Amino acid sequence: MIDAGLILHGRFKVIKHLGAGGMGEVYLGEDLEQPQNVAIKRMLIEQDHMDKDLFDRRFREEISILRRLNCPGIPAFVDAFSEDGHSFLVMEFIQGYSLERLLRVSRLENQGLNAEQVATVALHVSRVLEYLHSQTPPLVHRDIKPSNMIIRESDQRIFLVDFGLAREIHSKSSAKTQVGTWSYAPIEQIRGWVEPRSDFYSLGVTMLELLSGEVPAALAIPPARKIMPDLSEELARVIDRCTRAEVTQRYPEACLLRQDLEAVIASLTRPTAETYPSPISREDTIAQLVRYWGQGRAPQPPPPSADSGPIPLGGTPEVKKAVDRARRRLIYNSPGMRRLRLFISLLLAMLLAGAAWSAYQNKLQKEQATALTPGSGWKCLEARGLSPTGIARNGGALFERAENLPVRELSFQFRTGRGKTDILVFAGIYGLHITPGPKGYQAELVQLTPSRALEMPGYRPLGPKANASAPFSLVLIQKKNQLILTRDGREVGRCAVGASGEWRGALAGVLQRSDGPEAQNSLTSFVIR
């Protein structure tokens, strides 16, 4: 793949990669000599099917054909050159969208175009074929299908593109190569014999696909009205004649096909010379095809007024809006947008799953915290790292009550588990700090400033330490101006505090701090009276 920004042949700057096919890669480029966008095709050799000499000969033939073509429905030739062992073909860039892309949109909304729309598309292509077949020697496109028909965005003109398979017909034995797209190719082309009437067959198959939304089975084309009973007899006769298996039963010349298509459109619209212009002469006809695509009705041109003036380039404002809507649908249904929507859907699903999991975990934490609620009137404010087996890592629970009531006693049961941790059990401004020591855990009376955050607050040690290495029950009792610490009913220390009634609390909690990933301790009971 060619990097964006590379300048080829000292003139063409590569902008971006557009796509690839069997014969090459196509890039959007900028012509630095004549400021315009161009399509740059880098030719690729099909290693399994042709040698270098045959490939070079085909490339030279394609250049020779394109260089002399001058038709409004064919992209203009710009340049051709070889560089770094690769052959390059530069053509006018047609900014637009293929009928294949529009057909994909129509399949989502309906089944295809209506009769007049298909006849109008076929009429534009027949004019290009009339030009090609009138060359000396005649030129046969050999690959007519929806993907090779482009509607230019600026003026809605239809272009026939990809002349990589187009060849001059010098005699009956001049084109003996089996090429083309199988579903659209007639029997003589598959056998290696091709002539101008082979293009009519491919156009007939294309018309059937645009009408029905499906490609008919190759080489087994039924009558058009057998597929679509409501199809107009006039258009059905044109399609049936184009798709005859016997080449001599098809249209002998493109001009006759064009005339029949004009008659079909006239019979479908039934305009009068005094009231309506010919829909074929209007520049916005194809824009209206986009506007009414898949809606089952033909474009109805309004009667012209004496002072209306010429139709502006690109059609009327209403048609431009319709084209914009069609373009937005194409962008919405493009592969890139489908991948983006899938990514966004997956991202939203992950976010919703994460939110649901977080909510579930919060619910579990509050359920575990409920088992540790210190008494009536208390409710859980926040909990983290709780499980039926204890507190994990930097977890714990905070509780609050509506009033700042006196605290007479704080008791709890504690069992050490894995790892080394600090544990703080508190009510109001007083609590017990349990820390690992050289001979096991020790409990110490502390004074702190309660916080509503689930993290270890600052504290000040107040009194003696008690051994807390084995399963035990600790009770902190206030009597007069003393805080008395008992273990399993036996006093192990006391500390003088302020006046009686000073110990109050509306906030209580159990907090653990640890640096170890597997630290876990068990607090089986927590009561405040």
Side-chain angles (χ1 to χ4, degrees), residues 360-370 383-386:
Y360 174 71
Q361 288 297 315
N362 289 337
K363 179 181 178 182
L364 288 181
Q365 292 299 306
K366 291 199 174 184
E367 288 177 354
Q368 294 296 329
T370 301
R384 182 178 64 234
L386 300 185

Side-chain angles (χ1 to χ4, degrees), residues 19 48 78 101 108 111 159 201 253-254 257 264 283 343 348 366 372 390 392 408 471 478 506 515:
D48 297 335
V78 177
R101 292 185 65 190
L108 299 175
Q111 293 197 356
F159 281 76
Y201 181 94
E253 295 179 352
L257 171 59
V264 167
E283 293 185 2
F343 171 76
L348 289 176
K366 291 199 174 184
L372 292 178
R408 300 189 306 275
Q478 182 187 24
D515 296 330

Side-chain angles (χ1 to χ4, degrees), residues 348-516:
L348 289 176
M350 293 174 62
L351 292 175
L352 290 174
W357 176 253
S358 178
Y360 174 71
Q361 288 297 315
N362 289 337
K363 179 181 178 182
L364 288 181
Q365 292 299 306
K366 291 199 174 184
E367 288 177 354
Q368 294 296 329
T370 301
L372 292 178
T373 301
S376 62
W378 293 91
K379 65 177 182 179
C380 179
L381 182 64
E382 187 178 357
R384 182 178 64 234
L386 300 185
S387 70
T389 58
I391 306 173
R393 294 204 63 184
N394 298 321
L398 288 176
F399 305 92
E400 65 175 353
R401 59 185 177 184
E403 299 181 72
N404 189 25
L405 300 176
V407 177
R408 300 189 306 275
E409 179 181 309
L410 181 153
S411 64
F412 62 94
Q413 292 182 339
F414 176 76
R415 181 188 299 273
T416 58
R418 298 191 305 268
K420 300 295 184 181
T421 63
D422 290 0
I423 293 182
L424 177 66
V425 182
F426 71 93
I429 63 172
Y430 295 114
L432 289 171
H433 185 213
I434 304 170
T435 58
K439 295 183 179 181
Y441 278 90
Q442 292 183 322
E444 181 179 27
L445 178 65
V446 296
Q447 184 177 359
L448 64 143
T449 301
S451 170
R452 297 175 64 87
L454 193 61
E455 58 186 26
M456 196 74 72
Y459 57 85
R460 178 172 64 89
L462 293 179
K465 296 181 179 180
N467 184 14
S469 298
F472 60 87
S473 296
L474 287 176
V475 179
L476 187 61
I477 305 171
Q478 182 187 24
K479 288 186 178 180
K480 297 184 179 180
N481 296 334
Q482 299 285 322
L483 287 178
I484 302 172
L485 177 62
T486 66
R487 172 177 170 169
D488 297 331
R490 185 169 55 88
E491 182 178 333
V492 293
R494 66 173 57 205
C495 177
V497 293
S500 176
E502 183 181 0
W503 189 10
R504 291 175 172 268
L507 192 67
V510 181
L511 304 174
Q512 176 173 283
R513 181 175 59 192
S514 171
D515 296 330

Side-chain angles (χ1 to χ4, degrees), residues 329-340:
R329 289 201 304 271
L330 289 173
I331 294 174
Y332 180 80
N333 290 287
S334 65
M337 288 300 295
R338 287 199 297 269
R339 288 192 293 269
L340 178 60

Side-chain angles (χ1 to χ4, degrees), residues 70-76 92 94 128 131 152 155 157-160:
N70 182 18
C71 178
I74 299 175
E92 173 190 7
I94 307 301
V128 177
Y131 171 81
R152 187 162 62 185
D155 58 4
R157 182 186 297 277
I158 284 189
F159 281 76
L160 188 60

Side-chain angles (χ1 to χ4, degrees), residues 120 124 156 278-290 299:
T120 304
H124 280 255
Q156 289 73 55
S278 168
I280 305 307
S281 65
R282 290 179 57 108
E283 293 185 2
D284 64 348
T285 298
I286 301 303
Q288 292 201 43
L289 295 182
V290 178

